[in-house]
Amino acid sequence: MADVTGGMRCARSTRRIRGLAAAALAAVLLATGCDSAQRPAAGSGGGERRPNAGESRPDGRSPSGVGPERPPAGKPSAHPRPEDLNGDGYDDFAAVITGGSLVVVYGSAKGLDPRRRTVVPGPPSSTVPDETRLLRTDLDHDGHTDLVRAPRTGVPTVLWGGPRGVTDPRPLTGAPTSPTATGDFDGDGHADLFLPGGANGPEGTVWFGPVRRGGAPARVQKLHNGRPPDSIPARSLAGDFDGDRATDLVLWFHWTDPDNEGDGEVGVSSLQYLRGGPGGLRLAERRERPDLGLEGQAGDVDGDGTDDLYSAGFFAYRKQLSAGYTLSTRSGPETGARGGMSTVSPPGLRDAPQYGGMGGTALGDVTGDGRADLVTSATGANDSNGVVWLVPDLRAATADAVRAVTLETPGIPGSDTPAKGRGPTRNRITVVGPLLDTDGDHHLDVVVGAPGFLDAKKRDLDAFWVLRGTDQGMTYQRHFTAKDIL
């Protein structure tokens, strides 16, 4: 299944460049920050305002027992920002966290406001949480961003956006599989969904919007471009790579062992590059292994309104951080300039074992200078406690400009030393995208998550640190855990 989330193109300002987030975590794809010790009543969907249980404490945290509230009413927009779920001009957090619960916390002039949240309880405790993807787009074309919860298996649901936030989840009736990307594939101004195919039948299905709240799309396109033998669609990447205002799609295919020998042997066999336009997606190029290309995530690196490809990596043995990009042109992806930076022993690495493993990577304007910055994380660094790096202005990046944050950074609450009695657990901190401007100051904020901070088995992303974007980079704002909002 795909690991990458596509998004409808929205209006870009010269002060803020919005990139598509890398979905490195299958269970938690969108993030926030808040500083609260509140809990909803059992089974609450977060829809009603309840009286405060008492005055705020001196440390700024809300008292336990305060029920969730809806945010003040926002306004619909002809081009709603995917990050703003209620149209009030402030970006909102959404994540699947401990136990599979879905939490939305709404932004405000002071950032994320933990009193104003929606909580959708997770599955019964006996059920293992499924890997889940969250997609943001205005699916029904009412001027408010909707939130699609797309589990790897099971029925996808939609939390319809509105002026007071999202609704309770409703099933996406009739969807053959969970969607893995969203965009405007026919360029008509309505949001569409891409749903990958299986081992048989079409390689995928496009649901063209607007999608009715009952789940019916305006029309459907089934993709029959011819797949390699014994293969399944395994990954998708959406973006407008040629600047024609219609979303394009890259679809990778994995070869599967037809003899079912049980050795788990799989591999990328080919990809299809599908161009969007009137009528929908059409095959523009087919590539075979070994050199497929089109690697990385989609985001506007140079600010020209066309999606490029960007990526990051950490070579643990050499302690080497790399960040790169390939620009797109009107001719499509990988047709423009390439660039990037590489540095050995970047800031944030301690004298500790370094292991492989990348966390989330996202692109956006953290410093507020109108240029796209890259934020990435290496979960295996620092004896698997992790590190988060900011690479300002990716297109002109230099090694001496890189900034780092770990749980040992002064001013950041927490530590890489396990709590007494917890055993040898590791934080594995990671960027959780997308980047969010939660207070409307034209700087995107970075949310860092740690799986296993509360859960020693590391099954859930259950602790978060919010790093506020500033002219100088990232500065700590607040910390919260899943127990604070559930």
Side-chain angles (χ1 to χ4, degrees):
M1 302 292 287
D3 290 334
V4 180
T5 300
M8 282 194 69
R9 182 165 305 285
C10 60
R12 286 184 170 86
S13 79
T14 57
R15 292 277 295 163
R16 189 160 69 176
I17 300 172
R18 297 189 175 275
L20 299 177
L25 298 176
V28 186
L29 298 182
L30 307 176
T32 187
C34 64
D35 198 356
S36 164
Q38 308 167 44
R39 287 169 178 79
S44 170
E48 295 184 1
R49 179 180 178 126
R50 302 179 187 179
N52 291 342
E55 298 297 324
S56 296
R57 302 190 316 211
D59 62 0
R61 293 166 64 93
S62 299
S64 178
V66 176
E69 303 173 4
R70 291 289 185 182
K75 298 179 180 179
S77 170
H79 303 285
R81 294 201 314 274
E83 296 84 1
D84 182 1
L85 295 171
N86 68 317
D88 64 353
Y90 305 109
D91 291 346
D92 309 311
F93 146 79
V96 178
I97 57 176
T98 297
S101 293
L102 173 59
V103 177
V104 176
V105 180
Y106 300 95
S108 71
K110 296 183 179 180
L112 293 164
D113 186 346
R115 297 171 303 167
R116 294 164 178 161
R117 69 188 188 274
T118 298
V119 179
V120 179
S125 58
S126 60
T127 303
V128 177
D130 192 15
E131 294 180 355
T132 302
R133 177 182 296 102
L134 298 179
L135 306 177
R136 298 180 181 223
T137 192
D138 182 7
L139 203 56
D140 58 353
H141 201 64
D142 69 346
H144 290 284
T145 298
D146 308 308
L147 187 64
V148 181
R149 179 173 182 168
R152 186 181 181 93
T153 59
V155 178
T157 57
V158 182
L159 285 73
W160 299 101
R164 300 298 299 274
V166 296
T167 65
D168 290 334
R170 296 289 184 266
L172 196 61
T173 306
T177 60
S178 277
T180 60
T182 182
D184 184 3
F185 298 112
D186 58 358
D188 67 350
H190 296 133
D192 311 317
L193 293 175
F194 172 74
L195 305 91
N200 301 297
E203 295 95 71
T205 302
V206 179
W207 273 24
F208 293 101
V211 176
R212 297 190 187 120
R213 296 208 168 191
R219 62 187 183 90
V220 170
Q221 178 189 16
K222 295 184 181 295
L223 304 178
H224 292 280
N225 295 308
R227 70 176 76 193
D230 303 313
S231 70
I232 57 172
R235 180 189 172 208
S236 60
L237 176 67
D240 181 5
F241 298 112
D242 55 9
D244 65 352
R245 299 184 179 274
T247 306
D248 311 311
L249 186 77
V250 184
L251 187 60
W252 281 264
F253 292 86
H254 278 190
W255 178 82
T256 58
D257 188 346
D259 297 323
N260 194 24
E261 297 170 354
D263 55 10
E265 183 180 359
V266 296
V268 176
S269 60
S270 69
L271 68 78
Q272 295 177 1
Y273 171 51
L274 308 171
R275 266 205 172 118
L281 294 172
R282 59 181 177 82
L283 181 65
E285 184 179 0
R286 193 191 309 271
R287 299 185 186 181
E288 305 293 334
R289 61 180 182 182
D291 298 321
L292 298 175
L294 289 173
E295 291 297 329
Q297 313 302 331
D300 190 357
V301 173
D302 57 357
D304 67 350
T306 299
D307 284 318
D308 310 301
L309 295 170
Y310 68 92
S311 61
F314 176 61
F315 187 8
Y317 178 76
R318 296 186 59 186
K319 300 182 179 180
Q320 182 177 14
L321 167 69
S322 61
Y325 65 85
T326 304
L327 299 182
S328 301
T329 70
R330 295 290 179 179
S331 298
E334 298 185 322
T335 57
R338 298 172 182 263
M341 56 77 61
S342 179
T343 181
V344 176
S345 297
L349 294 185
R350 295 185 287 104
D351 184 17
Q354 309 296 329
Y355 304 109
M358 292 299 292
T361 299
L363 189 76
D365 188 6
V366 174
T367 59
D369 60 1
R371 294 187 285 269
D373 311 312
L374 182 139
V375 186
T376 191
S377 47
T379 56
N382 297 331
D383 199 15
S384 294
N385 282 293
V387 60
V388 172
W389 286 296
L390 169 67
V391 182
D393 190 4
L394 176 59
R395 194 178 182 191
T398 59
D400 59 358
V402 176
R403 302 289 181 263
V405 169
T406 73
L407 295 193
E408 297 291 339
T409 298
I412 304 291
S415 173
D416 286 346
T417 302
K420 188 175 181 179
R422 288 203 62 223
T425 59
R426 297 293 183 265
N427 293 312
R428 302 180 188 275
I429 61 172
T430 180
V431 174
V432 187
L435 306 180
L436 302 169
D437 183 3
T438 62
D439 55 8
D441 69 349
H442 306 297
H443 296 73
L444 296 181
D445 309 316
V446 181
V447 181
V448 176
F453 191 78
L454 299 178
D455 180 358
K457 294 184 179 180
K458 306 181 185 68
R459 293 171 299 185
D460 299 301
L461 193 60
D462 54 15
F464 299 86
W465 293 257
V466 182
L467 307 178
R468 186 169 179 263
T470 70
D471 291 351
Q472 290 72 41
M474 304 179 297
T475 184
Y476 169 75
Q477 186 177 47
R478 58 173 59 94
H479 166 248
F480 75 101
T481 70
K483 290 184 177 179
D484 294 327
I485 55 176
L486 292 179

